[in-house]
C-alpha cells in the first residue's frame, strides 16, 4: 500500500516476532473468556489508589506546589481494595476525580495476573494446541494482551460497576428516607387548618381533625370592603374554634396548627389568621 494506515505504519517498524505477538495479544484480548477471568480476578484483588493532584506551575523552573483541598484528609494518600470500598467512599472518589482534585489509579499484581491467564488457558485449552508448543510466544502474547488492552478495559469496567452500584444504593436510601419523611405526620397528631393563599380567588381552607380526616372545606375572600374583611375573620375564627378543645379538658393544651402556603398573598393571609386567632 502506498498510504498504509497508522496501525500498519506502527507494525512496519516492529520486528516480525513483535507483530505476531501484538496480533496474538489482540486476539486473546477479544476472547470473552479472558475478559471474564480478568474481571473475576480484578474484583478479588484490585486496589484503588488516590492522591491529591499537584498543580503544574506556569514557570518550568518553579517546583510544583501541592495545594490543599477538601479531599486531602481522607483521600490525599488513600489505598483500599475496590471490593471493600464503602458507597460514600466510591462516590467521593468519583467526585474528586471529576473535579480533578484527585488522581485515581488502580493497582494489581500484573505478573500474578499473567500467570493466572496462562494457567487458565492451559487448563481450558480454548486456544489451538500449536500455540502451547511455543511457551515464550504465548507468554509474550498474554503480557501484551494484559498490559495493552485487558488491564485498562477491566479496571474501567470494574470501576463503572462499582460506581453504578453505589449510586443505585444511595438513590434507594434517599428514596426510602424521603418516603418516610413525607408519610410521617409533620407534628404530633393535632387538628390542622391548611390555607392556600390567594387574592382574587380568596384563601382556600381545609380543616382536618387530629386523625387527618377533612372536617370542612371553605374559601375565604377578604379583599374589598371592611365588611368583607370582617366576614373573612369570622369564618377563620369559626374554623379555629371548631376544633379547639373545651375549656378545662385534658386536651386543652392542644392547639390547632395552621399550615400556610408560601404563595401569592401569603403575608395577607398570615395577618388575617393572626388577627382571627386573637379575637
Amino acid at each position: 500500500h502506498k498510504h498504509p494506515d497508522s496501525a500498519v505504519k506502527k507494525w512496519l517498524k516492529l520486528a516480525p516476532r513483535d507483530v505476531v505477538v501484538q496480533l496474538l495479544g489482540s486476539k486473546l484480548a477479544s476472547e470473552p473468556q479472558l475478559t471474564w477471568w480478568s474481571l473475576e480476578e480484578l474484583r478479588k484483588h484490585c486496589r484503588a489508589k488516590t492522591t491529591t493532584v499537584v498543580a503544574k506551575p506556569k514557570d518550568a523552573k518553579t517546583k510544583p506546589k501541592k495545594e490543599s483541598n477538601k479531599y486531602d484528609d481522607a483521600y490525599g494518600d488513600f489505598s483500599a481494595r475496590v471490593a471493600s470500598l464503602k458507597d460514600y467512599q466510591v462516590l467521593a472518589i468519583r467526585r474528586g476525580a471529576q473535579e480533578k482534585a484527585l488522581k485515581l489509579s488502580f493497582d494489581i499484581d500484573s505478573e500474578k495476573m499473567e500467570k493466572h491467564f496462562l494457567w487458565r488457558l492451559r487448563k481450558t485449552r480454548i486456544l489451538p494446541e500449536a500455540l502451547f508448543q511455543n511457551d515464550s510466544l504465548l507468554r509474550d502474547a498474554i503480557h501484551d494482551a494484559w498490559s495493552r488492552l485487558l488491564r485498562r478495559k477491566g479496571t474501567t469496567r470494574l470501576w463503572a460497576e462499582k460506581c453504578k452500584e453505589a449510586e443505585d444504593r444511595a438513590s434507594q436510601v434517599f428514596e426510602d428516607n424521603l418516603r418516610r419523611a413525607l408519610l410521617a405526620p409533620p407534628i404530633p397528631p393535632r387538628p390542622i387548618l391548611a390555607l392556600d393563599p390567594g387574592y382574587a380567588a380568596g384563601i382556600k381552607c381545609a380543616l382536618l381533625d387530629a386523625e387527618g380526616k377533612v372536617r370542612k372545606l371553605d374559601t375565604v375572600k377578604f379583599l374589598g370592603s371592611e365588611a368583607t374583611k370582617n366576614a373573612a375573620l369570622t369564618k377563620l375564627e369559626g374554623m379555629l374554634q371548631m376544633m379547639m378543645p373545651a375549656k378545662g379538658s385534658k386536651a386543652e393544651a392542644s392547639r390547632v396548627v395552621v399550615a400556610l402556603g408560601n404563595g401569592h398573598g401569603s403575608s395577607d393571609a398570615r395577618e388575617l389568621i393572626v388577627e382571627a386567632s386573637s379575637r
Side-chain angles (χ1 to χ4, degrees):
H1 298 286
K2 292 183 179 180
H3 302 287
D5 60 24
S6 59
V8 175
K9 284 181 179 179
K10 186 178 179 181
W11 283 341
L12 289 174
K13 297 178 183 179
L14 299 175
R17 188 180 187 280
D18 295 334
V19 174
V20 173
V21 167
Q22 284 201 6
L23 287 171
L24 186 54
S26 298
K27 174 65 177 174
L28 288 173
S30 66
E31 287 287 337
Q33 196 67 40
L34 252 74
T35 302
W36 173 252
W37 294 337
S38 172
L39 282 170
E40 195 177 48
E41 290 303 300
L42 285 170
R43 289 188 184 108
K44 293 178 185 175
H45 307 296
C46 184
R47 297 183 68 85
K49 298 178 70 175
T50 60
T51 53
T52 305
V53 173
V54 178
K56 293 183 179 179
K58 295 180 180 179
D59 186 0
K61 295 181 180 179
T62 307
K63 291 184 179 180
K65 184 179 180 181
K66 183 177 178 181
E67 297 181 0
S68 61
N69 60 52
K70 60 184 178 181
Y71 299 99
D72 272 341
D73 293 339
Y75 305 106
D77 185 16
F78 177 81
S79 176
R81 285 177 58 241
V82 174
S84 64
L85 287 173
K86 305 295 183 184
D87 290 342
Y88 72 88
Q89 293 175 318
V90 173
L91 297 176
I93 290 171
R94 185 182 67 172
R95 187 167 57 251
Q98 289 174 343
E99 294 173 3
K100 296 183 179 179
L102 291 176
K103 181 180 179 182
L104 172 64
S105 60
F106 299 98
D107 184 25
I108 190 167
D109 190 339
S110 294
E111 185 179 352
K112 185 177 180 180
M113 285 290 292
E114 291 170 22
K115 287 181 179 178
H116 180 76
F117 288 146
L118 183 61
W119 173 77
R120 288 272 195 164
L121 289 171
R122 283 174 174 167
K123 186 177 180 181
T124 56
R125 296 288 175 172
I126 62 173
L127 297 178
E129 192 65 31
L131 284 175
F132 294 97
Q133 297 175 6
N134 191 332
D135 190 68
S136 175
L137 179 64
L138 183 57
R139 287 177 182 272
D140 289 346
I142 290 172
H143 174 74
D144 177 76
W146 167 250
S147 60
R148 186 166 59 90
L149 299 168
L150 286 174
R151 181 189 179 98
R152 182 179 180 83
K153 183 168 71 173
T155 52
T156 300
R157 182 170 170 180
L158 176 67
W159 184 244
E161 287 178 355
K162 195 70 178 175
C163 289
K164 182 67 168 59
E165 291 171 1
E167 203 172 55
D168 288 346
R169 281 193 289 265
S171 298
Q172 188 61 51
V173 169
F174 177 79
E175 181 182 335
D176 294 341
N177 290 340
L178 180 61
R179 180 182 290 109
R180 283 196 293 269
L182 291 175
L183 295 178
I187 51 175
R190 288 183 185 177
I192 296 176
L193 176 60
L195 305 179
D196 180 16
Y199 286 121
I203 304 171
K204 292 172 282 296
C205 309
L207 183 63
L208 294 83
D209 62 18
E211 296 178 357
K213 296 179 181 179
V214 178
R215 298 292 299 273
K216 186 174 183 179
L217 296 174
D218 204 347
T219 300
V220 176
K221 294 190 176 183
F222 60 94
L223 291 180
S225 63
E226 190 67 25
T228 304
K229 182 179 178 182
N230 287 332
L233 289 170
T234 302
K235 275 189 177 183
L236 290 172
E237 183 184 5
M239 282 185 279
L240 289 172
Q241 292 293 336
M242 185 183 296
M243 301 306 298
M244 286 291 287
K247 289 185 178 181
S249 67
K250 293 182 179 179
E252 187 179 354
S254 177
R255 293 291 184 268
V256 178
V257 175
V258 177
L260 176 61
N262 185 22
H264 198 51
S266 59
S267 58
D268 296 271
R270 180 187 293 274
E271 290 176 5
L272 282 172
I273 199 68
V274 169
E275 189 174 344
S277 63
S278 61
R279 291 177 65 172

